[in-house]
Amino acid sequence: MTYRDYLDPAYVEDFDDWAKEFVIPYEDMKGPAASRNWDSLRRLHDMDADGIAAEVVYPNTVPPFFATSSLASSQGAVEGARDLDYRWAGLRAHNRWLLEFCQDAPGRRAGVFQVMLHDVDAAVEEVQWAREAGLTGGVLLPGAPPGSGVPPLYRHTSYDRLWDVCEDLEVPVNCHGGGAGPRTGSTEIDDMFFLLDLRWWDITRFRHLVMGGVLERHPDLKVVLTESGMGWIPRELRKMDLVYESMRGKAGGDLAYDADSAIDGLSLRPSEYWDRQCYAGATFMHPSETAVRDQVGVDRILWGSDYPHLEASYPHSKAAIRTALQGVPVAEAEQILSGNAARMYGFDLEYLRKVAGDTGPSHDEVFEGVDPSTLPADAARCPAFAGLVEGAAKTRMGSNRGAAA
C-alpha cells in the first residue's frame, strides 16, 4: 500500500496531481536501497541479519504534499492556510501508514509519528490519536528556527498544551539532528553551510528546552536528542551550568552578568535537567563517545544503527557494537543496547531476548572487540568506524597491491 491509501478521500485527487510532479530528493530513496523504507519483510530480514531485535522507526520518506522530508520542510514557512491543511493531511497519512507498518512486526517496532507546530491544537489531537492507536516511538519535534513562522520553543504560552499532553500520556519527544536549523538556499554552498551549522542549531534547540523553562514546568517530559552525536553533551552542560551560575551571581569571569530574572523559574542547574529528563540517541556510537559515557550518563544513552540510511552501520552493526563497547562492563552495555530504549519506548525485553537468541549478537561477541584490518571497505561510509576502516583499507591495499591493480 502507498500513502494514497491512507489519505482522507478529499485529498486523493490532489495527491495524484502532486505525485505526477514529485521528484525523489534523497539517494537512499532511490535504486535498490529504496524499499528498505517501506518493505516490511525486507526490513525484518535486514534486522535479523544485522543482529537487531527491535527498532525505533524514524520517518525517512517524503509525506504527501511535501517537497522534501517533513523534517526539512518544517524549517520553511507555511504558505497560507491551504498549504498548512495539505501538509497536515500528508502527515496524518504517514502516521496511519506507520501504525500499520509497526503492527506488521508486533513488539519489534516503535514508530515515531509527526506533527507540525503551526497548529498546536492539531498537534495535541495527533498526539492523543497516536498514543491511543498504539504508536510507542513518541513524537518527532519539528524545528522552530527563524523564518519558520512559529515561535521559539521556549515561548510556553504557545506550546504548553503540547508539552502537557506528551507529559501526561508519557509520549517521548524526539529531536532529530538537522531538524532545528533554517535553510538559506538550495545551492551547494548553501548546503555546505547548512551542514556546518547543524550541530549549533541542534544545541540551540536543547538550550531553549532547558533554559527556557520547558523541562522545569514539565518535570515528567522525556526528551531524546538523536543523531546529534554525544561528544558535545558534557561540554555544553558545563557551559550552560556556568552561564546559569553566572546569571545567579555565583560565578565570575567573562560570562558574569546580571540577568537572574531570565531564569527566575529554574530550580535546577542545566546538567540536573539533563540527568532527570534527557537522553542521547547514540547513532553511529564511536569509541571516542564511549569514553564520555559516564559524563553523559550510562542510563541516558540509546545505541542506534541509523538504518535505512546509506551511512548506517547496516550490514555491519555487530562489528559497530563490538567497536564501540569493547571493554565496557556488561551491565552498562546492556543498558546502552537495550535497557534504556526498552524503558523509554515500552519494549518487552523478555520477548526480545527470544528474538535476539536467533539473531545475536551474543554476550561474547559484544565484548570481543574488532580487529580493524578485518573490517570491509564499505564500512568506511559509517561514522561508527571513523578513523578505523580507512587505516585498515590502506593496510590491505599495501599487502595486496598487485591483486588490487
Side-chain angles (χ1 to χ4, degrees), residues 138-393:
V139 62
L140 181 63
L141 181 64
S148 63
V150 296
L153 294 176
Y154 55 81
R155 297 284 171 82
H156 65 278
T157 55
S158 299
Y159 302 122
D160 262 1
R161 296 192 308 282
L162 178 59
W163 311 136
D164 283 340
V165 71
C166 289
E167 184 178 32
D168 292 345
L169 298 181
E170 299 182 342
V171 172
V173 172
N174 300 282
C175 302
H176 192 284
R183 296 300 299 248
T184 56
S186 57
T187 67
E188 289 186 355
I189 194 168
D190 289 314
D191 290 342
M192 177 185 71
F193 283 112
F194 177 71
L195 292 171
L196 287 172
D197 292 341
L198 282 184
R199 184 64 49 77
W200 189 90
W201 287 103
D202 292 338
I203 294 173
T204 295
R205 174 163 53 180
F206 172 62
R207 292 169 180 161
H208 285 191
L209 293 172
V210 175
M211 302 295 284
V214 174
L215 301 188
E216 169 69 29
R217 297 191 303 274
H218 304 276
D220 293 323
L221 191 69
K222 303 302 182 186
V223 177
V224 182
L225 309 175
T226 194
E227 205 166 324
S228 297
M230 284 172 44
W232 63 272
I233 294 172
R235 296 192 301 271
E236 183 60 26
L237 291 177
R238 286 194 295 270
K239 178 179 178 180
M240 290 171 66
D241 279 354
L242 181 60
V243 171
Y244 174 88
E245 297 294 342
S246 174
M247 295 173 76
R248 292 290 196 220
K250 298 178 180 179
D254 58 4
L255 285 175
Y257 58 98
D258 182 12
D260 191 36
S261 61
I263 56 171
D264 271 347
L266 301 187
S267 62
L268 302 176
R269 298 161 69 235
S271 59
E272 293 173 315
Y273 289 110
W274 172 272
D275 292 340
R276 186 177 75 180
Q277 296 174 250
C278 299
Y279 297 79
T283 312
F284 320 127
M285 191 171 180
H286 190 271
S288 62
E289 295 177 313
T290 307
V292 299
R293 68 188 185 279
D294 290 333
Q295 299 172 55
V296 175
V298 172
D299 61 340
R300 307 281 106 186
I301 301 170
L302 299 84
W303 181 90
S305 72
D306 202 40
Y307 180 97
H309 287 173
L310 296 178
E311 68 272 21
S313 58
Y314 172 84
H316 310 298
S317 291
K318 293 179 183 179
I321 290 170
R322 297 200 304 269
T323 300
L325 298 182
Q326 183 179 14
V328 173
V330 172
E332 294 185 12
E334 288 179 342
Q335 286 190 75
I336 292 169
L337 291 175
S338 60
N340 297 334
R343 186 174 69 253
M344 175 66 67
Y345 298 109
F347 288 110
D348 182 346
L349 285 181
E350 287 302 316
Y351 167 71
L352 293 180
R353 285 190 182 97
K354 299 175 184 176
V355 176
D358 296 327
T359 64
S362 67
H363 271 78
D364 291 342
E365 285 182 284
V366 169
F367 302 110
E368 68 184 7
V370 173
D371 178 354
S373 67
T374 67
L375 293 171
D378 69 333
R381 70 179 186 276
C382 179
F385 301 109
L388 301 174
V389 180
E390 182 180 1

Side-chain angles (χ1 to χ4, degrees), residues 17-25 29 62-63 66-68:
D17 293 336
W18 169 83
K20 292 175 185 176
E21 305 296 326
F22 174 70
V23 177
I24 297 174
M29 288 177 56
V62 179
F66 284 73
T68 59

